[in-house]
Amino acid sequence: MTDSPLNLIWKNTLKEIESTFSQAQMKTWFHGSRLSDLKPGKAEISVENTFSKNVIKKYAEERLVASLSKHAGFPVQNITYLISEVKTKDVNNQGLFDGETTAEATDGGSNNNNRSQVENNQTQIESNLNPRYTLDNFIVGNKNRLAHAVSITVAQNPGKVYNPLYLYGGVGLGKTHLMQAIGNAVIAREPQKKVLYVSCEQFINEFVACLKSGKIDSFKKKYRTIDLFLIDDIQFIAGKDGTQEEFFHTFNTLYETGKQIILTSDKTPSEIKNLEERLSSRFNSGMIADIQPPDFETRQAILLSKCQEKGVYFSNEITSYIAEALETNIREMEGVITTIQANLLSENIKTPTIADIRRILNLRYTPSKPSKKNRLDNVFEIICEFYQIDIKDLKGPCRQKEFVKPRQITMYLMKHDLGMTFPSIGREIGDRDHTTVMYAVDKIEKEIKKIPEFLEEIENIKQLYYAKSK
Ligand code: ADP
Ligand code: MG
């Protein structure tokens, strides 16, 4: 980045206020921020998301006003925030604070921005792939080395060597990650390839829906013309006879035309009960690679890499402690980082000790449940605080964007965290109709699936709310 006057002022400002906050706070809050406009009296700061805006506004604005005024050479009393829509969605992921360079795609393909754009479009519209999952950011240890190596080979030679590839292992160990990483690597190299990722459940639901609506031909056409078919958690096909029959034909068509099929499961083919023998034998006919729970060193390496992705910095002592405490599931590890991050923030702890971490983790695992009424009040309160809006606007009729999104997230939390029914949510949030609530919850669920940063935003809100409700 060249140092334009605005950049320079922003750099100096951040440097100055750096001493007031922890490194982790600086990295999390100001990641991707810039000074987008500056005039006597007011400055506009562009930040990555609402979370950054809110924490900066709440904890750092005063310092910013003073420091900006000093470096600008005129008083700046007013700060406005611009949420930048453009996110780093590089298939190679990361976009780290320090602008560290990331490793080349494992397939050796070189990327350029235009192509990344193509990939992103395809990634989100057609293939259902999440660009966050890459072969590069998959940490390799003894327990997943084979699965990773095989995945690289498949990504380089789809349909040619290991077909089908069957990845199996316990929950949260990286099956979905590896499978999607193969898809992302193939698209990065050959954007024209038709890659499709579906969960087994989606496949079943779509099949049933197409049967009902007489659209089975288009279903067949869709699934039988793919180059790389990724089907996740195939064990759920057990006992679904109609779907198994259809899947068998899909499988054969793809296989016979040299298309790559990748399956994941928490069981080996033979362990899946009520799976037709002919399917089981096909799954067994390719490459079966298992992923076992990671050992301590791998857990620590994964933890460090996840912390880096999230812009969080813990001491060695703390990462060892967490890696020791969490023995199995990597997904859980990610959740734990977010929990710790949010708690440290809300408690304003800059340099956490092991005792802090222990307390925070216990808090997550054995929360004493407050009454539903209190929890509901807490949801309202946290949302209003987080998005800096008034409760009457949250519950009110105004359909301005700045109120609609927090309102929909509130409804989502009421449904998923408080287990409330659609009509009762409607009653609590400004006497809305239950169909409005259903629409809102559905919308948030879809956004969460589509946009990883959005999921993170909701996780942050949840953690603040859990901390408040403890
Ligand atoms: P599974 O499908 O086996 O249940 P996922 O692929 O969804 O597990 O993995 C859970 C989370 O852990 C994901 O966010 C994934 O990125 C992460 N993860 C799993 N294994 C690794 C690894 N070896 N390196 C980096 N991240 C990993
Ligand atoms: Mg999975």
Side-chain angles (χ1 to χ4, degrees):
M1 197 185 279
T2 49
D3 275 344
S4 66
L6 286 188
N7 276 345
L8 202 61
I9 293 174
W10 189 233
K11 252 191 184 172
N12 290 334
T13 303
L14 290 186
K15 209 172 207 159
E16 182 168 359
I17 68 167
E18 206 167 57
S19 57
T20 321
F21 305 103
S22 74
Q23 231 187 23
Q25 285 169 327
M26 286 303 290
K27 295 212 179 226
T28 333
W29 302 354
F30 291 99
H31 175 262
S33 67
R34 56 192 184 86
L35 183 60
S36 39
D37 197 17
L38 182 67
K39 292 194 181 74
K42 64 181 200 186
E44 182 187 75
I45 300 170
S46 161
V47 292
E48 273 201 337
N49 49 41
T50 324
F51 175 73
S52 296
K53 173 186 155 183
N54 290 330
V55 282
I56 294 175
K57 206 169 159 69
K58 185 159 180 177
Y59 301 107
E61 193 170 279
E62 222 174 289
R63 295 280 294 124
L64 278 179
V65 162
S67 183
L68 269 174
S69 305
K70 181 171 148 195
H71 295 288
F74 46 74
V76 177
Q77 301 90 345
N78 237 323
I79 296 188
T80 51
Y81 298 85
L82 184 73
I83 313 282
S84 56
E85 299 290 340
V86 190
K87 291 278 168 68
T88 30
K89 276 191 188 148
D90 190 343
V91 167
N92 270 353
N93 203 14
Q94 351 273 325
L96 296 177
F97 184 74
D98 292 322
E100 284 168 34
T101 49
T102 58
E104 279 266 288
T106 315
D107 60 55
S110 61
N111 280 328
N112 61 36
N113 287 342
N114 285 343
R115 192 154 78 199
S116 293
Q117 205 51 49
V118 174
E119 288 154 23
N120 289 335
N121 290 343
Q122 167 149 8
T123 301
Q124 286 179 0
I125 299 160
E126 294 171 24
S127 66
N128 299 332
L129 289 175
N130 185 337
R132 170 169 110 83
Y133 299 122
T134 69
L135 289 167
D136 296 321
N137 67 10
F138 187 84
I139 306 285
V140 182
N142 288 334
K143 308 297 175 80
N144 58 21
R145 195 177 305 284
L146 172 75
H148 183 251
V150 166
S151 298
I152 291 177
T153 309
V154 169
Q156 286 166 341
N157 313 281
K160 302 232 164 56
V161 262
Y162 304 127
N163 205 12
L165 168 61
Y166 189 102
L167 296 166
Y168 84 93
V171 289
L173 296 184
K175 303 182 295 294
T176 301
H177 184 133
L178 268 185
M179 163 186 256
Q180 293 213 16
I182 298 173
N184 280 322
V186 169
I187 288 184
R189 196 186 52 240
E190 297 173 86
Q192 78 287 357
K193 280 255 157 106
K194 271 193 176 171
V195 177
L196 183 67
Y197 166 87
V198 281
S199 69
C200 184
E201 261 181 311
Q202 271 170 290
F203 185 83
I204 297 169
N205 292 343
E206 201 179 323
F207 173 68
V208 172
C210 285
L211 260 189
K212 274 194 189 146
S213 59
K215 290 189 184 138
I216 201 68
D217 283 343
S218 64
F219 179 88
K220 288 184 176 164
K221 187 160 175 246
K222 170 177 169 188
Y223 282 97
R224 295 183 192 185
T225 54
I226 305 166
D227 297 311
L228 175 57
F229 183 29
L230 313 172
I231 182 157
D232 209 354
D233 291 315
I234 193 67
Q235 71 273 11
F236 291 124
I237 207 169
K240 306 275 189 305
D241 295 343
T243 314
Q244 289 197 32
E245 166 88 26
E246 178 58 32
F247 184 73
F248 178 71
H249 295 299
T250 306
F251 186 102
N252 285 343
T253 308
L254 294 178
Y255 183 81
E256 280 156 18
T257 46
K259 310 299 185 184
Q260 178 73 45
I261 301 150
I262 306 179
L263 311 122
T264 71
S265 175
D266 61 353
K267 300 180 181 69
T268 64
S270 335
E271 283 167 356
I272 305 178
K273 291 201 186 86
N274 299 321
L275 178 69
E276 282 182 23
E277 171 50 32
R278 56 181 182 170
L279 276 180
S280 178
S281 77
R282 269 168 181 71
F283 297 170
N284 269 313
S285 69
M287 176 62 164
I288 301 202
D290 71 327
I291 307 182
Q292 296 295 326
D295 52 26
F296 172 75
E297 283 75 22
T298 316
R299 289 202 301 277
Q300 203 174 14
I302 293 172
L303 192 64
L304 282 173
S305 126
K306 300 290 169 191
C307 284
Q308 206 177 21
E309 272 177 25
K310 290 174 190 283
V312 185
Y313 289 82
F314 294 138
S315 66
N316 272 345
E317 194 191 17
I318 288 181
T319 49
S320 307
Y321 173 77
I322 301 172
E324 194 76 69
L326 300 174
E327 277 195 16
T328 48
N329 189 326
I330 297 159
R331 184 176 299 123
E332 195 172 30
M333 212 173 219
E334 293 184 325
V336 159
I337 302 172
T338 312
T339 309
I340 295 176
Q341 190 182 12
N343 276 271
L344 295 178
L345 243 175
S346 72
E347 295 174 27
N348 205 11
I349 299 175
K350 288 173 193 154
T351 328
T353 60
I354 295 272
D356 290 323
I357 304 294
R358 188 180 298 138
R359 180 174 48 77
I360 290 169
L361 294 187
N362 279 340
L363 176 160
R364 183 171 186 219
Y365 295 122
T366 50
S368 50
K369 285 204 164 171
S371 74
K372 211 173 204 176
K373 173 80 182 79
N374 279 343
R375 282 153 65 206
L376 181 57
D377 289 343
N378 287 344
V379 171
F380 286 139
E381 216 171 288
I382 288 292
I383 292 273
C384 289
E385 197 175 314
F386 195 89
Y387 292 104
Q388 300 284 303
I389 59 174
D390 206 278
I391 182 113
K392 72 175 193 317
D393 292 320
L394 182 71
K395 295 189 180 183
C398 179
R399 291 171 63 172
Q400 252 170 277
K401 205 172 152 203
E402 58 182 299
F403 305 132
V404 171
K405 184 178 158 197
R407 194 180 289 143
Q408 289 179 334
I409 293 177
T410 311
M411 294 191 233
Y412 168 87
L413 290 175
M414 287 160 95
K415 178 75 197 154
H416 285 278
D417 269 68
L418 298 178
M420 294 169 66
T421 61
F422 291 123
S424 65
I425 296 173
R427 272 195 300 279
E428 292 287 347
I429 191 144
D431 237 345
R432 291 182 148 76
D433 189 73
H434 74 280
T435 52
T436 310
V437 181
M438 282 165 73
Y439 171 80
V441 173
D442 183 57
K443 178 138 193 275
I444 299 297
E445 284 169 354
K446 286 194 178 125
E447 297 260 295
I448 285 179
K449 284 197 190 125
K450 262 198 333 230
I451 312 171
E453 290 83 3
F454 187 59
L455 175 63
E456 212 160 294
E457 186 173 322
I458 297 217
E459 282 300 320
N460 281 322
I461 296 172
K462 269 198 203 166
Q463 298 311 334
L464 291 172
Y465 148 67
Y466 290 159
K468 192 173 177 75
S469 304
K470 70 175 184 264

